[in-house]
Amino acid sequence: QVQLVESGGGLVQAGGSLRLSCAASGSTFSINAMGWYRQAPGKQRELVATISRRGSTNYADSVKGRFTCSEDNAKNTIYLQMNSLKPEDTAVYYCTAGSDYFGAYAPDYWGQGTQVTVSS
């Protein structure tokens, strides 16, 4: 089992920045990638970003150029730096951990979620 604890959500004005953190513990040897999903009220859940243990990243088109996913393998922690935030980025953001083979990310574990609210 892998436990994920997120932090860093909150309220920010449009154009502002936030950084989310996610610390993984437990059987982290069983995962080779982590990622961030988000879900806004009434909308489908969206995969925002993924990062492999080698540091390779992928982003949804909606956040490319604004969000950056990074990792600290020594701390088993990943980060999501969110810049130039827009009201449409408002959602609950979930940290996940799982596997990424041939570019297909499959989450096995989920964090509790953290609310990000961007005011206009």
Side-chain angles (χ1 to χ4, degrees), residues 22-47:
C22 176
S25 61
S27 302
T28 56
F29 60 85
S30 65
I31 61 174
N32 73 351
M34 296 179 70
W36 294 93
Y37 282 81
R38 68 183 180 186
Q39 187 162 25
K43 294 189 176 181
Q44 285 191 329
R45 189 166 55 198
E46 177 186 25
L47 178 58

Side-chain angles (χ1 to χ4, degrees), residues 1 3 18 22 32 35 42-43 46 50 57 64-66 81 84 87 91 94 102 106 111 113 117:
Q1 291 288 325
Q3 294 78 44
L18 280 175
C22 176
N32 73 351
K43 294 189 176 181
E46 177 186 25
T50 62
T57 53
K64 278 181 183 176
R66 300 187 299 121
Q81 178 66 44
S84 302
Y94 296 92
F102 307 107
T117 303

Side-chain angles (χ1 to χ4, degrees), residues 19-81:
R19 188 175 84 153
L20 306 182
S21 301
C22 176
S25 61
S27 302
T28 56
F29 60 85
S30 65
I31 61 174
N32 73 351
M34 296 179 70
W36 294 93
Y37 282 81
R38 68 183 180 186
Q39 187 162 25
K43 294 189 176 181
Q44 285 191 329
R45 189 166 55 198
E46 177 186 25
L47 178 58
V48 175
T50 62
I51 186 165
S52 73
R53 283 199 179 274
R54 296 170 295 129
S56 299
T57 53
N58 284 289
Y59 300 95
D61 288 343
S62 57
V63 305
K64 278 181 183 176
R66 300 187 299 121
F67 289 14
T68 302
C69 191
S70 60
E71 63 186 354
D72 183 336
N73 283 327
K75 296 181 179 180
N76 284 323
T77 298
I78 65 169
Y79 307 93
L80 186 67
Q81 178 66 44

